[in-house]
Amino acid sequence: MAKGDDAVRRRKNKKTSRKRMRNSESAVSARVAAKRRRKTGKRRICEVLPMNIRSLLLVATPVRSQSAFLWCPASHIMYFVQGMCFSLPTPDDPFNDRHGKKTKQKPSKSESAPPLSATEKSQNQTCDAAVRAEQRCSEGGGVGNDCKSDYGGPSNFLMLCLNAIQDAWRDRQAAPDGSFDGSLLAWGDWGVDFLKCCSAGSHVIDTCASCPTTEQVAWLVSTASDIITWKEKQGHVVPSPFLLFLVPTQEKAVQVRSVCKPLKALGIHTVSLHPGAPLDHQVQGLRSCEPEFIVSTPERLLELVSLKAIDISGVSLLVLDGFNTFLDLGFVDKLNSVRETISGNPQVVLFSDCHSEVFTSFAQNILSGPVTRLCESDLITSQSAFISQLVHFHTTQEEKVAKIKQIITGIFSNEVPIPDKILLISRTANKFQMLRSSLIEEGYEISEDSSCAFSIISDRRALRVFATDCESLHEEDLMEFGTTIFVDFPTSIEDYVHVLTSMAGYSITGALHSFFCKEDASHAQPLIEVLKQCGQMLPENLQNI
């Protein structure tokens, strides 16, 4: 290599490296490049300012600072100054050698972290609850048949709605019903379960109390607001009103309206309709706005519908607050009239601790489609709502098999929809083979699905039967079984209660059959206590055993 070639090569390398450095800085955004210069201390003078303003800053601000806004009254232009105003010297750094940066001091091992305040602890718990709620809601869907497989959550807008309601409560130090627990996310379990039901397009029956708590109302209206926003982003036309919240009294209407009021700033308008306000005033108010949510008593709503002041035919979500009070006031017929006014198949949310035949008949009349029962209570009466407990006595195995066959035949003969699955619980498997043979003799077609499942087919109607033993009960998901049969009574009353409170989660009614004999006499008294607690009829043979 010639002597001059080495120098040429070095100059070429330097030129290439400088070009590479310029390209690497221009490849990122101006904000990122400025951040890099700020970290390295190589800030440059902003070249977008007019010369007179730049000179003024250089004269008036000889010491460095990070960034500032400068308002120019003459031209009414906001200038963002970066690298022009610099941080002032401090007693700790009189010569500004650190350029305004604080030195990090390592804490000594003997020093402990300062204790958190009550506000910081509450914020940490809220953040943890939000993370848990987001982790628990891993499946999506949406209200209505048009988008129930695409909607997911909880979204940022849902959390924004909850925070807006919570901030409004914190300002007045109480919820509308006088309580305040500090965080709506403490109800995240119920809220996420409700969100999943809406996502799956399922009706909801809450069996814990006669009416929802204010926290449940907050989750409900926030979820509805989130669904409205999602539908609008997807280009769907959202009918008005979207949510119809039926309440029995004027006081309850005002309470629910106060929960929804903070959502108005987010674009969700709520109107309260009740006999306490003049009818003409409400008619004029409805003509001047198109509210997303309607909170109303049944009688006033029907009056406004008859006057054509409001159209509720396109309601997508119908909520009934407290069936007990509606029943006491004689509003059941009005509720049916409201439901008939709504076209299509809206999702329905029922709150009631009344598990009578009247409520069951009403629920079966207005609900069509999948149903999910929600219960956050530990009471057996709430968890076993709408489940009939039937105790059968036998002396021989042949009598037991004949009775099981009679139960299955009764399911096929009834005009009610056949449950998707039934569960047989026994200590041994030979009884199931006897049952299969007996059903085949009756003319039923048996399709063997697996060693622990088979299908009974009759008149093109199929009923899947699953079999398990008592030891595997706690490993099974019992919510899908509308009918469960204890072929052998369990050795522990706890197993009986576990099945009772875990089954038929996706149906309005359920049936738990159990077979009892003299060898099970030691479990008679605990079983009687459970039947009494649930309001079931006591068999005479069980009392005399």
Side-chain angles (χ1 to χ4, degrees), residues 1-11:
M1 179 182 296
K3 183 177 179 180
D5 294 342
D6 189 24
V8 173
R9 181 176 55 82
R10 287 197 300 269
R11 287 196 300 270

Side-chain angles (χ1 to χ4, degrees), residues 140-145 147-151 198-201 227 230-231 347:
V143 170
N145 297 327
C147 61
K148 68 180 181 181
S149 61
D150 299 328
Y151 170 75
C198 290
S199 302
I227 295 172
W230 182 88
K231 281 191 171 186
Q347 279 187 295

Side-chain angles (χ1 to χ4, degrees), residues 205-244:
I205 299 179
D206 191 292
T207 60
C208 291
S210 59
C211 58
T213 63
T214 52
E215 291 83 0
Q216 289 175 318
V217 174
W219 268 94
L220 195 153
V221 297
S222 298
T223 301
S225 303
D226 188 33
I227 295 172
I228 291 175
T229 305
W230 182 88
K231 281 191 171 186
E232 290 177 345
K233 289 181 179 179
Q234 298 299 317
H236 297 284
V237 178
V238 180
S240 179
F242 177 84
L243 167 66
L244 176 59

